[in-house]
Amino acid sequence: MELVQQLLVASEKLHAHLTKLPDDKERDAFILAIDELLDARGKVIEQLQAQTLDPLKGHVLQPQLLELDKGIQERLVKVQRSIKDDMQQLQTTKKSEQRYTNPYAAVQVMDGTYFDGKK
């Protein structure tokens, strides 16, 4: 199979995989699959870049590849935002749990300290 066609197949697989965001339980497997698909696609891109002539320039599949790449980038940004939002939510939850278990942690009490008002 030609390298450009291999790139198209790898890009289509990645694009199709990124169409649906998983539940929280399936997120680890989803991210691992993304990583594997990106690695496979990256290897094909490296092989294309190693060639002396640019095989994509003027190729029939170039517009389709550019469109797929744009879609992949947009969807990866969505996945990244989703993960970032969940991490922020987790941090907020941790802080609220700490406040609930120890509500007086933020209060500074100066017990046992006496101030002499005389000069």
Side-chain angles (χ1 to χ4, degrees):
M1 189 184 304
E2 188 181 339
L3 283 176
V4 177
Q5 290 177 344
Q6 288 179 1
L7 179 62
L8 180 65
V9 169
S11 297
E12 286 176 343
K13 284 181 183 178
L14 181 60
H15 190 269
H17 182 71
L18 291 170
T19 55
K20 185 180 111 180
L21 292 176
D23 298 335
D24 290 337
K25 297 175 184 174
E26 302 167 354
R27 180 171 289 159
D28 291 338
F30 181 76
I31 292 172
L32 286 175
I34 289 174
D35 192 36
E36 291 172 2
L37 291 169
L38 282 173
D39 285 343
R41 186 171 178 255
K43 288 178 184 177
V44 175
I45 290 173
E46 285 176 5
Q47 290 175 357
L48 282 170
Q49 289 175 344
Q51 294 182 355
T52 56
L53 298 174
D54 188 11
L56 287 176
K57 198 169 199 174
H59 198 279
V60 177
L61 298 175
Q62 184 181 14
Q64 188 177 1
L65 283 168
L66 290 175
E67 186 176 326
L68 275 173
D69 188 53
K70 183 179 176 184
I72 288 170
Q73 288 179 2
E74 290 173 357
R75 291 173 184 195
L76 283 174
V77 168
K78 285 182 184 179
V79 170
Q80 183 183 18
R81 270 194 216 126
S82 170
I83 293 170
K84 189 183 284 188
D85 290 344
D86 287 346
M87 288 175 65
Q88 287 176 348
Q89 173 103 17
L90 181 65
Q91 293 297 325
T92 305
T93 304
K94 283 183 179 180
K95 285 181 184 178
S96 65
E97 283 181 16
Q98 288 174 352
R99 286 184 191 145
Y100 180 75
T101 56
N102 191 4
Y104 301 109
V107 179
Q108 293 182 356
V109 179
M110 303 286 275
D111 285 342
T113 305
Y114 299 101
F115 292 103
D116 189 7
K118 297 178 187 178
K119 285 191 176 186

